[in-house]
């Protein structure tokens, strides 16, 4: 069609910033302002605190008991500059020990907004697929990195962890939720021993049901093979669990 920009198809196929055009030797003003707004939104997503009361209320509405913990960083600034502290529980934290197959941890991570918006819906789908698993109370963790789940599992007596965490915001995605599954969770687990499902953020990313179905498959195979991580693949040929 005459007058149609041939790059419109490319722009419509992705949320990435492509074919932005030019004004002289620079970006058009509108595109530059959009870029700055996206950068500001990403910064806000990192620094905005998690509303723990609202989140635990949403989780309680699912009929699930919750516990609250915090990572070792004293504040958000220390959390961002000391990732190692986000992998440790605050000194003196006590959790009720038991015998559990899995603990679900909801952690603020680098995008508390993602957790606030997507964790309850994702938890509902995961809970619906945990028949046959002894599940610990859901743990809501602030100033937390993924490996804090290992500390929580050790304290609670859980064999495995599923950590729902806010992923690092991007310029076109500030609310992406990640899910990390670790079988035989323990202090000192390597990242290669975890499976990750990323970009859970309907409608622009993976949906809750699809992600939970893949997670259930991984968990079932992990329990059969007694491992997780790089040796466990999310292969459609695997049994559905």
């Amino acid at each position: 069609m005459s007058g149609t920009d041939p790059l419109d198809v490319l722009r419509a196929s992705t949320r990435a910033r492509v074919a932005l055009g030019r004004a002289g030797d620079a970006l058009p003003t509108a595109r530059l302002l959009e870029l700055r707004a996206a950068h500001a939104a990403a910064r806000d997503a990192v620094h905005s605190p998690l509303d723990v009361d609202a989140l635990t209320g949403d989780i309680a509405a699912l009929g699930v008991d919750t516990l609250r913990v915090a990572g070792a960083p004293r504040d958000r600034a220390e959390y961002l500059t000391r990732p190692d502290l986000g992998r440790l529980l605050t000194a003196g934290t006590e959790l009720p020990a038991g015998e559990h197959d899995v603990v679900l941890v909801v952690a603020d991570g680098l995008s508390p907004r993602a957790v606030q918006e997507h964790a309850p819906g994702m938890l509902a789908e995961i809970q619906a697929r945990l028949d046959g698993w002894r599940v610990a109370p859901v743990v809501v963790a602030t100033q937390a990195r993924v490996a804090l789940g290992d500390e929580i599992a050790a304290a609670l007596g859980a064999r495995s962890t599923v950590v729902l965490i806010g992923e690092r915001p991007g310029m076109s995605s500030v609310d992406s939720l990640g899910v990390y599954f670790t079988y035989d969770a323990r202090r000192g687990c390597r990242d290669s021993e975890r499976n990750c499902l990323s970009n859970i953020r309907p409608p622009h990313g993976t949906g809750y049901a699809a992600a939970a179905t893949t997670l259930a498959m991984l968990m079932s195979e992990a329990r059969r093979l007694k491992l997780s991580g790089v040796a466990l693949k999310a292969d459609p040929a695997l049994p559905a669990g």
Side-chain angles (χ1 to χ4, degrees), residues 2-100:
S2 176
T4 299
D5 186 340
L7 293 175
D8 284 346
V9 174
L10 178 61
R11 295 188 187 100
S13 68
T14 177
R15 291 176 62 82
R17 287 176 173 77
V18 296
L20 298 181
R22 55 190 292 178
D25 60 355
L27 287 173
T29 300
R31 303 289 84 78
L32 181 60
L33 292 176
E34 290 170 359
L35 186 66
R36 290 180 176 176
H39 184 245
R43 290 176 60 89
D44 286 348
V46 170
H47 291 281
S48 297
L50 181 67
D51 187 337
V52 178
D53 289 337
L55 180 61
T56 53
D58 291 339
I59 296 173
L62 303 175
V64 178
D65 294 331
T66 61
L67 302 169
R68 299 187 188 188
V69 301
R74 292 167 296 181
D75 52 33
R76 197 64 176 172
E78 188 171 56
Y79 170 80
L80 294 172
T81 57
R82 291 287 306 274
D84 56 312
L85 295 180
R87 302 180 184 113
L88 303 173
L89 286 166
T90 300
T93 299
E94 295 184 3
L95 292 171
E99 294 185 4
H100 309 289

